[in-house]
Amino acid sequence: MRRIVALRRVLADAFGHFNDDDGWAMASHLAISSLMALFPFLIFATTLASFLGAEAFAETAVHLIFDTWPDQIAAPIAREVVTVLTVPRTDLLTFGIVLAAYFASNGIEALRTALNRAYRVFETRSFVMRRLQSLAFVVIATVCFVAISVLLVFAPILARIAEANVEWIKPYIGTITLWRFVVASAVIVLGLVAVHLWLPSGRRSFVSILPGIAFTLVGWLIGSTIFANYLDRFSSYVTTYAGLASIMIAVVFLYIVSAIFILGGELNAAISRYREARSRVAG
């Protein structure tokens, strides 16, 4: 009974603060900012990957980002991404690629603003420090994507070696799609851990952010499944928005994902507040 009461209080606190603190508007801001940051990030990352010799990066990036999206949402956007990324680029150190990195970092700043509100903290770091941190996130994400791209190039070689030397692994060699999904999911989990730990102001322990991350992952899975089924059965986006349908679908999907992401931060903050209140009562 006590656990049920605690759960009700935590959920009421989380959803109440989300609603009172313009959570729906922040979800909209985060969705648009994420979509606007996606192409600059991929342009910057692809250019850097080409400079480092990772020519297979474009395909890897598309799989890492879109393999965890429902097919109805991912397919149209992925086609446009591939079109953009296959344009030859040699301007790594030019003004254009610097701008791409800067615009990509705007998406990180949107995540920071949303989490600061969710965790109910005020930002104390300077604009320069925040922007440098956001750019560092962009560069680190790019390097990680490039490293994964290189590893996937060697994956067939490693698979053949494993198949020749490890008998029990043979049935699993062909599950390429499964491994892509696993890698993409791992990237998402590590990304969530990083942004919850380091983006918002203040300090949080690893254990304290786990409930919100778990809520986010489960919520994304349920939300994307429901939205995909809705698109299959009831959606009229194509007739309403014509050629803009794919973009509108992506915006709505990112809006749902963003709301769930912010609620994950709200849940962590509500749990921390409840534990602090219990500690004061017990003391």
Side-chain angles (χ1 to χ4, degrees), residues 32-258:
I32 297 298
S33 297
S34 300
L35 189 60
M36 291 179 65
L38 177 62
F39 282 91
F41 166 72
L42 289 173
I43 290 171
F44 172 78
T46 304
T47 306
L48 179 60
S50 300
F51 179 77
L52 297 176
E55 302 297 338
F57 175 82
E59 181 180 354
T60 303
V62 169
H63 283 296
L64 287 176
I65 293 175
F66 295 109
D67 274 2
T68 53
W69 291 32
D71 290 339
Q72 303 93 320
I73 305 165
I77 304 297
R79 284 197 298 268
E80 298 302 323
V81 168
V82 171
T83 301
V84 171
L85 298 189
T86 51
V87 175
R89 301 179 189 279
T90 57
D91 53 349
L92 176 64
L93 300 179
T94 65
F95 186 65
I97 204 63
V98 172
L99 276 180
Y102 180 83
F103 288 133
S105 71
N106 286 340
I108 305 296
E109 287 301 311
L111 290 173
R112 186 198 309 280
T113 302
L115 286 178
N116 276 336
R117 287 199 174 198
Y119 282 109
R120 307 159 203 200
V121 294
F122 295 98
E123 187 58 62
T124 57
R125 292 162 290 188
S126 68
F127 171 82
V128 174
M129 288 301 298
R130 295 197 306 270
R131 186 58 67 169
L132 287 175
Q133 186 189 42
S134 295
L135 289 170
F137 264 81
V138 171
V139 173
I140 291 171
T142 299
V143 172
C144 291
F145 274 37
V146 171
I148 293 170
S149 176
V150 173
L151 288 174
L152 289 180
V153 170
F154 291 101
I157 301 173
L158 298 176
R160 285 195 294 271
I161 294 174
E163 190 174 9
N165 294 278
V166 184
E167 186 69 24
W168 61 266
I169 206 172
K170 288 183 179 180
Y172 304 98
I173 292 297
T175 58
I176 302 299
T177 301
L178 173 63
W179 283 111
R180 282 175 173 169
F181 183 83
V182 169
V183 172
S185 300
V187 169
I188 291 175
V189 172
L190 292 176
L192 285 172
V193 170
V195 298
H196 277 276
L197 278 179
W198 295 308
L199 274 188
S201 183
R203 293 184 179 181
R204 285 149 298 280
S205 67
F206 175 74
V207 174
S208 70
I209 67 173
L210 290 181
I213 291 176
F215 172 85
T216 300
L217 293 173
V218 174
W220 283 0
L221 178 62
I222 295 173
S224 61
T225 301
I226 293 174
F227 188 55
N229 288 329
Y230 165 73
L231 290 176
D232 278 341
R233 300 181 183 181
F234 307 110
S235 176
S236 59
Y237 282 105
V238 175
T239 57
T240 303
Y241 295 105
L244 296 176
S246 60
I247 297 298
M248 292 304 303
I249 290 172
V251 168
V252 174
F253 173 71
L254 288 174
Y255 178 73
I256 295 170
V257 167
S258 297

